[in-house]
Amino acid sequence: MDDGHADGTAAAAAHADRLIADAVHAWSRTDTAVFARCADRLAADRTDMAGWPRGVDRKLVTSLVDAVTAAWRLGWRPADVVAVAGRRRGGRYARMATDVIAAEMRRYAAATVDEGWQAQLSALGARQWWSHDDGYPGEWAEREGLDRAVMVRCALELLAVLATLPLMARLGPLPGESRRPATGRPEGPGVDRRMLGRVRALLAKAESTEFPEEAEALSARAQELMARHSIDHALLAAESGHGDEPSGRRLAVDHPYEAPKTVLLDVVAKANRCRVVWHRNLGLCTVLGYPGDLDAVELLFTSLLAQATAALVRAGSRRDAHGRSRTRSFRHSFLTAYAQRIGERLSVATEAAQQRASAESPATDLLPMLAARDEAVDRAVGAMFPTLADRTVTSAGDREGWMSGRAAADLAALHTRDQVSGDGECRGG
């Protein structure tokens, strides 16, 4: 590239920077006319400015990457950003957000990114598939089957979403700040990944089988593994004096029917000695608890929600006596009743698990030890969310949906564990 062309591209990037800033500002004011005008100018094939398309593309990419870095400092994590991008704008925006995150993560050495962060990147499939960053916008547009004008609007709209993310509680070290032990493993008793692998395999079989008896047997084995591991972990931590500490994890609980889905997450969390905070307008919940218990919550909630969704599909649509659709009311009531009944079943199962653990360890005063862990989780909630308020998050108005939901819950396989019981709240954050 000759110097003149390089200078032209730099000038184009500077002009593009101003247009991008104006577009994002217009979006925040819901000024659609100014936003559209800026987008059109950025997408135009200008012959009066050397290197215009390349300068625009370069600035779009750097602006998006910088916005992701800013999101990390606000407490957001990769899965959160992708979930909110998809919730607010749609699937192609979630895919672009995933790509931008992959580009941003090149700034850090792998050893300075914590394992939870790495796991989210892997689950998202965040990797560089494009040839170089300047060419990314064009390659992304080709991959999505879009023209340049639509690509520019998508990038600007995603940038606007990122620029308006609220402050969130930080759930771990930022990328670049993590310092893993030299052994590559955390100190103290940790979660047995091999055991989790066995549980996941059992859950996959339980969800795929057509025979309820087989699903129950597989689920019971998964419950046994998770319950035994959790209590053993707590005992080992108490004996050694240096166990892990409560932490947090965010899960997407998106529309439709966010409220009853959140109630389902809350009853699962209670059964696993965790607490839930619902970020109602973001489609996210923060779950706080000990690491192994958080794994159990995520596994069980995902499985039960999949079962509930399948039951809803089988139930089909509903109409009232006048032929008007009442499907939404039916499904809302179905999921509300399903969550309540699952909570009842888990309460019975968790009490039985606690009794078995006490019988197997008569010399151990299990209740005070577990109460101390509950208190530690409560303190973590209070420190992270000092202004929480309890709220009633859902109700049901369709009797058939309610009864159908309870019946589906009775048939559902409780896929992780009969964990010890604990208090918890489903709170609006």
Side-chain angles (χ1 to χ4, degrees):
M1 181 186 295
D2 61 57
D3 291 341
H5 189 69
D7 290 343
T9 302
H15 186 55
D17 190 28
R18 291 191 294 272
L19 285 173
I20 290 169
D22 289 346
V24 172
H25 184 58
W27 183 273
S28 69
R29 303 192 324 269
T30 64
D31 189 338
T32 56
V34 171
F35 177 85
R37 189 157 57 247
C38 292
D40 289 343
R41 289 177 179 175
L42 287 163
D45 185 14
R46 296 182 58 167
T47 58
D48 61 326
M49 186 172 290
W52 175 249
R54 186 179 182 87
V56 169
D57 289 356
R58 178 179 297 173
K59 196 58 194 178
L60 285 173
V61 171
T62 57
S63 297
L64 285 166
V65 169
D66 289 345
V68 165
T69 302
W72 303 158
R73 298 192 186 108
L74 289 172
W76 289 73
R77 292 169 75 85
D80 309 337
V81 170
V82 173
V84 168
R87 174 186 173 90
R88 292 186 175 176
R89 303 306 305 164
R92 67 168 58 124
Y93 298 84
R95 292 188 290 274
M96 181 181 282
T98 301
D99 292 343
V100 175
I101 288 169
E104 200 273 346
M105 290 304 300
R106 295 182 316 220
R107 295 179 171 182
Y108 316 103
T112 66
V113 180
D114 76 34
E115 292 180 353
W117 204 286
Q118 294 278 25
Q120 288 195 8
L121 296 172
S122 177
L124 291 170
R127 61 178 183 80
Q128 181 176 342
W129 53 265
W130 57 96
S131 56
H132 55 87
D133 285 358
D134 284 1
Y136 168 74
E139 292 180 50
W140 182 85
E142 183 177 356
R143 196 181 218 201
E144 295 285 332
L146 305 174
D147 62 26
R148 179 170 178 78
V150 176
M151 177 276 293
V152 168
R153 291 182 68 93
C154 287
L156 291 173
E157 289 167 7
L158 177 59
L159 188 57
V161 169
L162 296 174
T164 55
L165 292 177
L167 181 67
M168 298 286 277
R170 186 177 294 186
L171 301 182
L174 297 180
E177 295 181 356
S178 180
R179 295 294 181 267
R180 298 182 190 173
T183 60
R185 286 188 273 183
E187 297 179 2
V191 178
D192 187 337
R193 297 298 167 184
R194 289 176 300 177
M195 183 276 298
L196 285 180
R198 292 170 64 191
V199 168
R200 289 190 180 98
L202 288 168
L203 300 186
K205 292 179 181 178
E207 291 168 15
S208 63
T209 182
E210 297 179 0
F211 304 102
E213 297 83 359
E214 183 182 10
E216 288 290 348
L218 291 165
S219 300
R221 179 57 180 156
Q223 291 167 357
E224 179 184 346
L225 286 172
M226 294 297 288
R228 186 72 269 173
H229 178 267
S230 179
I231 293 175
D232 287 348
H233 185 101
L235 289 169
L236 182 58
E239 292 172 0
S240 65
H242 49 261
D244 49 19
E245 296 293 332
S247 59
R249 188 173 302 179
R250 271 191 289 272
L251 301 178
V253 183
D254 210 351
H255 53 68
Y257 317 115
E258 301 101 313
K261 289 177 184 177
T262 300
V263 174
L264 177 61
L265 175 59
D266 186 57
V267 300
V268 172
K270 287 179 181 178
N272 291 280
R273 314 194 76 83
C274 296
R275 312 290 183 265
V276 173
V277 176
W278 183 22
H279 310 283
R280 184 188 299 261
N281 296 325
L282 300 175
L284 298 170
C285 286
T286 299
V287 187
L288 292 102
Y290 284 85
D293 298 332
L294 293 175
D295 286 330
V297 170
E298 188 168 3
L299 286 169
L300 181 55
F301 172 66
T302 301
S303 177
L304 290 172
L305 186 58
Q307 291 183 66
T309 301
L312 275 179
V313 171
R314 289 193 298 269
S317 59
R318 291 292 190 277
R319 293 190 176 276
D320 64 18
H322 303 286
R324 295 171 299 193
S325 175
R326 62 178 180 87
T327 299
R328 184 172 181 82
S329 175
F330 171 84
R331 290 181 172 178
H332 183 97
S333 297
F334 181 106
L335 288 171
T336 301
Y338 180 89
Q340 184 189 77
R341 180 58 183 147
I342 287 294
E344 293 169 1
R345 291 186 65 195
L346 285 173
S347 294
V348 173
T350 55
E351 180 64 27
Q354 182 172 313
Q355 292 175 357
R356 286 197 301 272
S358 296
E360 292 171 6
S361 305
T364 302
D365 202 350
L366 190 61
L367 290 179
M369 180 193 67
L370 295 176
R373 289 170 74 86
D374 282 342
E375 291 172 3
V377 174
D378 286 337
R379 286 195 299 271
V381 174
M384 196 173 291
F385 301 99
T387 61
L388 278 182
D390 293 333
R391 299 174 186 171
T392 300
V393 298
T394 191
S395 60
D398 187 293
R399 185 177 185 279
E400 183 190 7
W402 177 270
M403 299 303 294
S404 297
R406 287 184 66 85
D410 284 332
L411 294 174
L414 301 184
H415 280 173
T416 55
R417 58 175 169 179
D418 300 339
Q419 179 52 288
V420 288
S421 62
D423 295 332
E425 301 85 16
C426 183
R427 299 172 172 178

